[in-house]
Amino acid sequence: MRVLLVEDDTALAEGIARALRAEHFAVDVARDGEDGGHLGSTESYDAIVLDLGLPRRDGLSVLTEWRREGRTAPVLILTARDAWSEKVQGFKAGADDYLTKPFRVEELVMRLRALVRRAAGHAASVIACGALAFDAQTGQFELDGLPLKLTAFEWRVLSALILRREVVVERLDLLERVYEGDADVDSNSLEVIIGRLRRKIGADRIETVRGRGYRLTAGSA
């Protein structure tokens, strides 16, 4: 899962980014409305955390422009403004959730996971594909009822695949969700991650669709 964080408070942004990365999210950080608006318009994200009181350009106008452009990534507004009228403005502009400062980072993580799950079309928090199960609320994977130990990169790839189980996920789409914007990506890195996942969950559960990408299936009975 890849998240865009648009927040001008340096200490707060660093703390949120650190907490999200500890939960295996890939995080891109923008410190003002201009940069955040550009990233949200040109990159693919599973969710966006957007402050309203931003320098150079306010968050509400940024969100309005994203929705006008047809950008559908769920947006959680993060702000010190708690007036009901301002919340209404945010929702009317296209926000999906609202969290008022101060807040607990654990709550932010849970809300983001729920937004990503619902955006992928899953009502229940536990998503199963054969013997493989993913609790989207806790971020835990299980195979045959036993917890899976995954690296951050493996978790990002497998979560992207199980959220779209039985559907081909394009190679570029996976790469965008594994690496942060400034990462130096090796051309074979995704294949390496897929290979490690196959050893952990079974080679027949991840199909290669030549020229396109990969598909997570229930595997053989």
Side-chain angles (χ1 to χ4, degrees), residues 27-215:
V27 186
D28 291 343
V29 180
R31 301 293 170 80
D32 60 65
E34 285 288 342
D35 289 345
H38 175 72
L39 284 173
S41 293
T42 58
E43 300 288 336
S44 296
Y45 294 99
D46 293 295
I48 298 173
V49 180
L50 177 68
D51 190 13
L52 290 185
L54 295 166
R56 299 180 69 192
R57 188 177 178 194
D58 71 276
L60 202 61
S61 68
V62 170
L63 175 56
T64 300
E65 181 174 276
W66 285 338
R67 295 313 190 215
R68 188 169 58 244
E69 293 172 345
R71 302 289 170 177
T72 59
V75 173
L76 185 151
I77 287 179
L78 185 64
T79 182
R81 306 174 186 177
D82 60 357
W84 171 244
S85 61
E86 291 178 326
K87 291 184 180 181
V88 170
Q89 284 183 314
F91 284 121
K92 284 184 175 179
D96 299 274
D97 202 355
Y98 209 110
L99 193 57
T100 303
K101 302 174 185 176
F103 61 92
R104 292 183 64 88
V105 175
E106 294 87 351
E107 181 179 0
L108 174 62
V109 171
M110 297 289 275
R111 286 174 180 258
L112 283 177
R113 285 176 173 160
L115 286 176
V116 172
R117 169 176 54 81
R118 290 197 296 266
H122 299 285
S125 61
V126 177
I127 304 162
C129 188
L132 181 68
F134 175 53
D135 188 330
Q137 206 58 40
T138 65
Q140 179 63 56
F141 278 95
E142 291 185 351
L143 181 63
D144 293 319
L146 299 175
L148 271 176
K149 186 174 182 179
L150 303 171
T151 68
F153 286 161
E154 292 166 358
W155 185 91
R156 292 170 190 170
V157 169
L158 195 54
S159 63
L161 290 173
I162 201 167
L163 284 169
R164 285 171 281 183
R165 59 192 176 183
E166 304 292 352
V167 174
V168 178
V169 182
E170 302 288 339
R171 186 178 186 278
L172 180 59
D173 196 359
L174 283 174
L175 283 170
E176 287 178 339
R177 277 156 176 76
V178 171
Y179 296 100
E180 297 175 357
D182 57 354
D184 184 16
V185 182
D186 182 272
S187 60
N188 295 318
S189 59
L190 181 58
E191 286 73 17
V192 172
I193 297 169
I194 292 290
R196 294 203 305 254
L197 282 172
R198 282 172 169 154
R199 287 193 290 273
K200 291 183 177 183
I201 69 172
D204 60 336
R205 296 184 193 278
I206 302 178
E207 295 181 354
T208 300
V209 181
R210 193 171 300 277
R212 293 185 60 192
Y214 300 92
R215 174 170 49 216

Side-chain angles (χ1 to χ4, degrees), residues 16-29:
I16 293 172
R18 186 166 53 249
L20 291 176
R21 287 169 181 143
E23 296 294 333
H24 300 333
F25 287 89
V27 186
D28 291 343
V29 180

